Amino acid sequence: MRMTIITSNPGKVREYQHYFEGLGIETAHLNVPYDEIQSSDLEEVVRKGMDELKSKGISDFIIDDSGLFIDRLEGFPGVWSAYVQKTIGNEGILKLMGGVEERSAVFKCCIGCNMNGKDIIVTGTCNGVILEEERGTEGFGYDPIFSHDGQRSFAEVRTDEKNDFSHRGNAVRLLLAEMEKIL
Ligand code: IMP
């Protein structure tokens, strides 16, 4: 079986390769752009993206839409996480959180998988906190400012360890349970 990971993000490709290759599922990477509609709902973005890719004749693929939701900022950057990362970045988030004591946040990852003509959509989450400063050099995006245990940032853990508790890891475990029902 071969699953095509459709994303422009090499960090995501590395994480998916870790999961699937360990399970004997061959992976390929494709960077095809698809429209990411403006929506307050990750699942709606994924569903629309899947429809567009299928209408282009692509099958047996995975896409995901993720976001960091900070409680004290009423869920910001949430569905705007990609834009916010590109503009104000981690430094900007740390400024917004300057002097704030309540630092809880949740990472969410919604995966859309098309396999054997069927669609599966699952969402995994990971609760944590926004750190006071950037830490670590692994990973990508918000990893240096997010910690699942209040101590190490996601950028201070190896990819295989991050997969054990991350939003994407939790989403993949839900996905595999659904895939087993189809295979
Ligand atoms: P998207 O799912 O590619 O739209 O991701 C939204 C934003 O969240 C991007 O800026 C990503 O870099 C960031 N992001 C997604 N997943 C992760 C992660 O596992 N760690 C850190 N940042 C992430």
Side-chain angles (χ1 to χ4, degrees), residues 7-9 11-12 15 34 36 42 45 64-68 77-86 90 107-110 139-144 146 154 162 166-168:
T7 178
S8 58
N9 181 337
K12 287 187 184 179
E15 290 187 12
Y34 58 91
E36 292 203 19
L42 295 178
V45 178
D64 87 27
D65 196 37
S66 324
L68 177 64
V79 290
W80 297 283
S81 291
Y83 178 73
V84 169
Q85 179 63 223
K86 270 186 233 133
N90 290 337
F107 248 132
K108 294 185 190 173
C109 173
C110 178
F140 61 94
Y142 296 100
D143 281 346
F146 181 84
F154 264 11
K162 177 182 168 188
S166 74
H167 50 311
R168 191 161 297 101

Side-chain angles (χ1 to χ4, degrees), residues 29 62 81 174:
H29 174 212
I62 278 190
S81 291
L174 293 172

Side-chain angles (χ1 to χ4, degrees), residues 1 5 15 25-26 28 32 38 44 50 52 56-57 67 70 75 84 95 98 109 118 122 126-127 129 156 167 170 178:
M1 188 191 163
I5 303 157
E15 290 187 12
I25 299 172
E26 206 185 314
V32 201
Q38 279 304 310
E44 199 188 353
M50 290 180 84
E52 186 182 327
K56 289 179 178 161
I70 302 175
V84 169
K95 273 200 192 127
C109 173
K118 294 210 170 89
V122 290
C126 178
N127 292 310
V129 291
E156 290 178 308
H167 50 311
N170 290 333
E178 291 302 313

